[in-house]
Every structure is written in C-alpha cells, then in structure tokens.
C-alpha cells in the first residue's frame, strides 16, 4: 500500500513549484522534523516561515502548510481538558454542540443489493451552481450525519460555497440494511460507488473527501487502490488508526476498554435492528457472538471478518490497515493525528511512507484525544481545532486544481490556434 507511484501531473508539480530548491538546506536545518524538499519560503527575500514548533509536521511538501494562518500559532488545548486524553475525548463526544442542519436523504442501491444513505444539505441543488466543489464526509465506526464533528465540518464547508454530502455506511444513522452484510475497515466498494454517483451527478465539479477514524481508514484504502486513476481531487484523513493490529492491541488496555464496550454496544444495537437478515447463515458465522459482543473484536470475529472473507479476526486487521496504502496515494492527502489519541495510536502512523510520497502531508498535534481537538477559537463547545486547517487545505488544493486546469485549457487553445492558422490562411487567399 510497492514503490512510490509516479506523481500525478496535476498534483506533484504544483506542490513542487512551491518549494524553491535554493532554500532546501536552510529549511532542513531550521525544521529538523521536516524531510525532503524545503518548505515554501514565500516571495522575494521574505524569511522562511514554518508551522509552529508545537506541531509535528512531515511530508516532502510540508512547506505549503506555512501559508495557513492557523498553523503559525501554538497548539493549545482548552485548559480544563488538556491534562487528560480521555477527558478530552469524552468531553468532545458528549458536550460539543450539535449544529442544526436540514438534510435531504438519498438512498443508493449497491451492486450486491445492499444500500447506503447519502445526506445532502437541503436546498443546495437550487442554491449552489452546478460546478460548485463537492465534499464527501465519511464518519467513524457506527457514526453518521448526526455526529457533532460531522455537522461542524459540514457547516464550515457549506459556508464557503461547497456542496456537502455525508456518506452513512450500511446501518449507520438509520441507513437501510437490506442484506446480511454491513461494512468493514477495508471494504471500499460502497465508497467507490458513492464517488462515482456524485461525479455522475455533478460532472463539472471537483470532488473531495474527508474521513474520520474508521472512515479515514476506508478513505485512504480507497485512495491507495485507485492510485493515479483516482477521480477525487484531494482528501483529508483524521484520527486514522492506520495500523489496525496496533490499534487492536491498545484497545484492550486500561481505560480504552470503556471505548471498546461503547462501540460494541453501538454495533450490537445496529445488528439487533436487522437481526432477521442474519438468521440461518451457514459457514463460519457466529451470530450469537456478534449479537452479544462485549468488544469490537468479538463482533468482528463473529460477523465482519466472515462477511468479507477473512480467515480470522487477526487476518482481517492485518490486511485491512490503511498504513500500507499511503505509498500508492496519487492525489493531495492531508493526514491529521493527535499524539495522545487513545484509539489511533501515534506509533501506528506510517511516517516514513508519508514523507516519501510527494502527495502526502502529516500534522500531529501534541493533544487532541480521539475526535476531540478541543482547542482553538471555538473551544470548548464549538468546532474542532482541525476544521479551519481542513478547509484551508481543501481550498488551496481546489484553487491550484482550477488554476492548473485553466492553464492547460489556455495552452490547448493556443496550440489549436497555431495548428489551424495555416489552413485559415490558405482558405482566405484562395
């Protein structure tokens, strides 16, 4: 997830253009955490500007992040929550505000006769131009459009004139379940169909995606599978467990058992709503174990790994990690992680592969917990600290994408004019 791919002609060159080779030595010496080409030094004789030292920043083109205002200031978690990663994680889950948004649901049938639910912002078909950029949001395990972090990101993107759709996986946020199959950490079929569906509906638009936690793992797996054929123009991964074997190891330690039991309960609740679909299944299924799962591992052992053809739950985890996909990503990808994340361990981040891929960037905050990031101007009840950075990155990529497209069209038009001019001349002089 093999050698680094050949950079996309619309991605790597434009990122590389921001990194003057003459500044390489100075950048490397002034920011030891950086690797590869130097960060953007700005115009003229301006001094080199780097993201704040409180952040771990990695990636061959990390210099472009220096242009983001929010990254020039130190990362400061909200004081009352900063001392404990579990306090921050739980506070964000239960106390973060839930913005009110009117959504319009679309159910999409899948090739295996399953279904997923897409939640669009009501009225956007009339309010936004047909070529407005589209942002697909992928929530975490059992999450959906009613999660606070999803709603905040939705509103921010919508305020910038972006069309937003939340991809609710099978059984999540009331998404229908019509077959004896949910979804998995490595199953990208539903996402692939959603992306194709969105692109078919808005063929003039650039399509982007943001994923959190398990949704991030699925997103990065998809990017790695698509390689240079990927139709997305950019993506952001947050709180990605990356290495599911490491994540599973930590999930059963200490206070993490609280999260494990809570997620297992959420999985059981989804399962029980559709239990009749699973009656009479033969083979290696252990429906009783899934229905009474006390841990996510129990549920995956009894149902998930069998549904998707894995020999064991350990085989499922080791072959579903998105860390192996990073080297094959061929579009701009920003990964944001928290160093103290209890569910997506920092040691599982594929730092070296991210550094080696010119399309990937990494930001690691010193605090943040899991899906927390209770910091920034809107803390403690507002949007996560990550939202402004996500939007800055997506707008940057979108502007560069449009600029490259305009340059290409202009060049092609000039080429056509130059090629056809002799014919026009002959025609006029007949």
């Amino acid at each position: 997830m093999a050698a680094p791919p050949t950079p996309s002609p619309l991605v790597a060159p434009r990122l590389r253009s921001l990194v003057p080779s003459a500044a390489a030595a100075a950048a490397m010496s002034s920011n030891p955490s950086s690797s590869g080409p130097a960060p953007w030094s700005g115009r003229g004789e301006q001094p080199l500007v780097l993201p704040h030292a409180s952040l771990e920043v990695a990636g061959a083109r990390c210099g472009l992040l220096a242009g983001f205002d929010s990254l020039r200031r130190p990362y400061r978690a909200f004081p009352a929550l900063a001392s404990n990663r579990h306090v921050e994680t739980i506070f964000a889950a239960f106390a973060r505000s839930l913005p009110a948004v009117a959504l319009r649901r679309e159910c999409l049938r899948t090739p295996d006769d399953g279904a997923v639910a897409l939640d669009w912002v009501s009225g956007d078909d009339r309010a936004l131009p047909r070529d407005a950029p589209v942002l697909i949001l992928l929530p975490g395990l059992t999450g959906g459009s009613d999660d606070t972090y999803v709603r905040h990101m939705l509103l921010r993107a919508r305020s910038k004139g972006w069309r937003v759709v939340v991809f609710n996986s099978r059984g999540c946020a009331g998404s229908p379940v019509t077959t004896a199959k949910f979804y998995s950490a490595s199953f990208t079929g539903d996402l692939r169909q959603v992306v194709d569906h969105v692109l078919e509906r808005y063929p003039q638009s650039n399509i982007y995606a943001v994923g959190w936690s398990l949704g991030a793992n699925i997103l990065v797996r998809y990017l790695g599978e698509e390689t240079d054929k990927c139709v997305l123009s950019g993506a952001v991964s947050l709180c990605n467990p990356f290495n599911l074997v490491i994540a599973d190891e930590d999930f059963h330690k200490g206070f993490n058992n609280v999260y494990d039991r809570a997620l297992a309960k959420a999985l059981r609740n989804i399962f029980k709503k559709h239990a009749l679909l699973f009656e009479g299944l033969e083979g290696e299924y252990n429906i009783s174990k899934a229905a009474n799962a006390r841990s996510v591992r129990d549920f995956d052992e009894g149902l998930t790994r069998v549904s998707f053809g894995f020999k064991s739950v350990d085989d499922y985890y080791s072959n579903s990690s998105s860390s192996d996909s990073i080297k094959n990503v061929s579009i701009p990808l920003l990964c944001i992680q928290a160093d103290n994340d209890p569910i997506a361990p920092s040691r599982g981040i594929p730092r070296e592969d991210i550094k080696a891929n010119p399309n990937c960037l990494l930001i690691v905050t010193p605090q943040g917990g899991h899906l927390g990031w209770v910091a920034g101007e809107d803390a403690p009840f507002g949007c996560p600290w990550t939202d402004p950075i996500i939007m800055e990155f997506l707008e940057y990529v979108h502007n560069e994408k449009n600029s490259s497209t305009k340059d290409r069209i202009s060049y092609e038009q000039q080429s056509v004019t130059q090629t056809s001019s002799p014919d026009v001349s002959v025609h006029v002089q007949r």
Side-chain angles (χ1 to χ4, degrees), residues 99-145:
V101 183
L103 299 173
R104 174 179 58 82
R105 173 153 291 189
E106 176 187 16
C107 290
L108 186 65
R109 181 69 67 178
T110 63
D112 67 343
D113 208 31
V116 298
L118 302 180
D119 285 337
W120 303 84
V121 178
S122 296
D124 273 1
D125 278 344
R126 299 183 301 274
L128 296 176
R130 295 292 296 178
D131 63 349
V134 183
L135 181 61
I136 302 172
L137 304 181
L138 288 78
L141 180 63
T142 74
S145 56

Side-chain angles (χ1 to χ4, degrees), residues 177 179-180 270-281 287:
V177 177
T179 64
I270 293 174
F271 175 83
K272 288 176 181 177
K273 292 178 182 178
H274 311 284
L276 290 176
L277 291 170
F278 297 86
E279 286 188 356
L281 288 180
I287 299 305

Side-chain angles (χ1 to χ4, degrees), residues 166-361:
V166 183
F167 166 30
N168 300 290
S169 292
R170 307 183 190 202
C172 299
S175 181
V177 177
T178 56
T179 64
K181 190 175 187 179
F182 289 115
Y183 63 104
S184 79
S186 57
F187 178 58
T188 58
D190 287 352
L191 174 57
R192 184 169 288 103
Q193 184 176 356
V194 168
V195 172
D196 291 345
H197 173 74
V198 171
L199 188 60
E200 182 179 2
R201 174 170 289 184
Y202 298 104
Q204 297 173 299
S205 299
N206 293 333
I207 314 296
Y208 303 84
V210 173
W212 291 265
S213 197
L214 192 74
N217 191 83
I218 294 170
L219 174 59
V220 175
R221 292 272 305 189
Y222 166 79
L223 300 181
E225 291 173 3
E226 293 295 294
T227 60
D228 57 357
K229 303 185 299 294
C230 187
V231 297
L232 294 179
S233 296
V236 181
S237 161
L238 301 105
C239 290
N240 191 336
F242 278 118
N243 188 316
L244 299 183
V245 175
I246 290 177
D248 180 59
E249 290 174 358
D250 282 17
F251 218 31
H252 312 296
K253 297 178 181 178
F255 193 85
N256 281 6
N257 283 289
V258 173
Y259 308 127
D260 196 8
R261 289 194 295 270
L263 286 171
K265 181 179 179 181
L267 288 168
R268 291 198 310 270
N269 289 339
I270 293 174
F271 175 83
K272 288 176 181 177
K273 292 178 182 178
H274 311 284
L276 290 176
L277 291 170
F278 297 86
E279 286 188 356
L281 288 180
E282 298 177 351
E284 298 180 37
Y285 287 98
N286 189 333
I287 299 305
S288 176
K289 187 168 190 174
N292 299 287
R294 308 304 299 176
S295 68
V296 174
R297 186 182 178 89
D298 285 347
F299 190 88
D300 289 340
E301 176 62 52
L303 184 62
T304 308
R305 67 94 180 169
V306 186
S307 296
F308 293 93
F310 293 98
K311 293 181 293 185
S312 67
V313 70
D314 291 317
D315 178 47
Y316 165 47
Y317 292 152
S318 63
N319 286 288
S320 298
S321 299
S322 62
S323 55
D324 298 329
S325 301
I326 286 292
K327 60 176 66 74
N328 296 320
V329 173
S330 295
I331 67 166
L333 171 66
L334 174 63
C335 303
I336 310 180
Q337 304 286 124
D339 190 56
N340 69 345
D341 192 322
I343 296 175
S346 179
R347 72 182 192 280
I349 301 172
R351 287 173 168 83
E352 295 307 313
D353 284 337
I354 290 174
K355 293 176 184 178
N357 188 330
N359 300 296
C360 298
L361 293 166

